[in-house]
Amino acid sequence: MKRVILTPNPYRDKDFQTVRTAMGILRDAGVETKVCLPFDVDKSFELPKDIRFHRLDREIHNAELVICFGGDGTILHMAKTATRKNVPILGVNSGTLGFMAELESTELNLLAKLAKDEYTLDKRMMIDVVVQRDRDIIFHDIGLNDVVITKGAVARIAYLQVKCDGVEAMQCGGDGVIIATPTGSTAYSLSAGGPIVEPEARNILITPICAHDVMSRCIVASDKRTITVELVQNARRNAYLSVDGGKSLRLNMGDVVTVKKSNLETKLIRLKERSFYDVVNMKFKKI
């Protein structure tokens, strides 16, 4: 591996110290690096003058790997861009939990293994999300973790009907519903009472959020299923949809949310030999 993009989260890596260290290790190993910001920063934020920042949309075409510095949110944000270009990702945790990150900031010396191609690829299932309003598709996105449909901040109940392949699987009233991948099983879905699922599994999880119906439970569906969600009744006649914690979309009565397995897969680089359960035990001890 010779061409690598580094995408630091400027709000988490103070003065870009972690990125500077990584650049030095990779340069010494013979790897070319380009630093690109994963998102636009506030105009008032002062970037260091001694680091040259490149445009991500230009550099990613020739990159062999994107290294994300930050928390899980930074990795999720980059996953869409990198996956669409078939470029793998390696996460370096400079956030809090960092469940998806491969390395901690104290393990940067392992980056030298990239120059010798001493790594493995971990393929992660993604979901495809479409919102249809009448005959028009008003939203289309892919997600690595989940799609969340909620009532918003107002203290009321969202009544949702969930179908699998056109057959009703759940009708619940509560705060909403989460449709997650196995990767997303350890995120919001877990907090809402969903199970932990190995990333290599091929399932879609349907987890109600604070359901008022005691019979509403998480459903573990096959990845071959097409899942639809509709508002069946609502006092204010709207709810909100978000994919991987991104910008929310307001849903109206009659909108149909369709979720299915994406044809794309996120590729995560692994430099360490460890079990998924080692990661679970290590990360959850931080909480």
Side-chain angles (χ1 to χ4, degrees):
M1 193 166 288
K2 297 298 182 183
R3 297 183 302 277
V4 172
I5 291 176
L6 310 180
T7 59
N9 184 330
Y11 302 110
R12 290 190 178 273
D13 189 5
K14 186 177 181 181
D15 198 30
F16 293 81
Q17 288 301 319
T18 306
V19 170
R20 295 175 193 273
T21 302
M23 290 172 65
I25 292 171
L26 291 169
R27 188 182 302 115
D28 292 343
V31 179
E32 177 188 353
T33 61
K34 298 286 183 67
V35 180
C36 303
L37 294 177
F39 46 75
D40 294 332
V41 299
D42 298 333
K43 293 183 179 179
S44 60
F45 190 90
E46 187 173 349
L47 295 171
K49 299 293 191 297
D50 59 328
I51 297 179
R52 182 182 178 186
F53 293 93
H54 300 263
R55 284 184 54 175
L56 180 63
D57 59 343
R58 291 179 178 175
E59 300 299 334
I60 199 166
H61 296 284
N62 297 316
E64 296 176 80
L65 171 67
V66 175
I67 302 179
C68 300
F69 299 81
D72 287 340
T74 307
I75 296 175
L76 290 171
H77 181 83
M78 276 303 308
K80 298 178 184 182
T81 301
T83 299
R84 288 186 173 112
K85 299 299 182 182
N86 197 32
V87 178
I89 297 173
L90 188 151
V92 177
N93 182 34
S94 55
T96 51
L97 186 61
F99 198 93
M100 297 173 59
E102 172 67 2
L103 302 179
E104 299 296 322
S105 56
T106 56
E107 301 176 307
L108 294 178
N109 60 301
L110 293 177
L111 293 175
K113 298 173 69 174
L114 294 172
K116 303 176 184 178
D117 292 335
E118 295 176 354
Y119 61 85
T120 57
L121 272 180
D122 183 5
K123 295 182 180 180
R124 298 291 182 91
M125 167 187 160
M126 300 189 82
I127 50 174
D128 187 272
V129 184
V130 171
V131 179
Q132 184 170 338
R133 178 171 296 166
D134 297 324
R135 296 183 178 181
D136 299 323
I137 293 177
I138 63 168
F139 179 87
H140 184 206
D141 201 359
I142 55 175
L144 176 57
N145 253 11
D146 51 36
V147 53
V148 179
I149 301 170
T150 66
K151 63 181 181 56
V154 181
R156 56 186 172 81
I157 296 175
Y159 294 95
L160 303 172
Q161 182 184 58
V162 182
K163 295 181 179 180
C164 290
D165 291 346
V167 180
E168 183 177 300
M170 178 190 305
Q171 187 169 145
C172 63
D175 286 0
V177 67
I178 305 162
I179 303 173
T181 66
T183 298
S185 72
T186 50
Y188 193 2
S189 176
L190 179 65
S191 300
I196 294 176
V197 181
E198 292 187 13
E200 291 82 4
R202 291 294 182 263
N203 298 109
I204 300 177
L205 312 181
I206 308 168
T207 307
I209 308 170
C210 298
H212 285 227
D213 179 3
V214 295
M215 298 305 293
S216 295
R217 293 290 184 266
C218 177
I219 295 174
V220 181
S222 164
D223 66 340
K224 297 180 176 62
R225 304 295 173 225
T226 297
I227 298 165
T228 56
V229 182
E230 297 181 60
L231 280 73
V232 290
Q233 66 181 66
N234 198 298
R236 295 186 55 172
R237 297 181 178 273
N238 59 68
Y240 297 88
L241 175 146
S242 177
V243 179
D244 283 350
K247 185 177 179 180
S248 62
L249 171 72
R250 179 171 172 168
L251 300 174
N252 298 334
M253 288 288 292
D255 291 353
V256 179
V257 181
T258 301
V259 183
K260 61 183 180 180
K261 177 184 175 182
S262 172
N263 292 327
L264 300 175
E265 290 182 318
T266 295
K267 298 177 181 177
L268 299 181
I269 290 286
R270 296 301 181 202
L271 297 176
K272 298 184 290 186
E273 293 293 333
R274 59 179 179 174
S275 165
F276 167 69
Y277 300 100
D278 290 331
V279 178
V280 170
N281 291 329
M282 178 182 67
K283 297 296 183 180
F284 286 154
K285 285 178 181 178
K286 293 184 177 182
I287 300 177

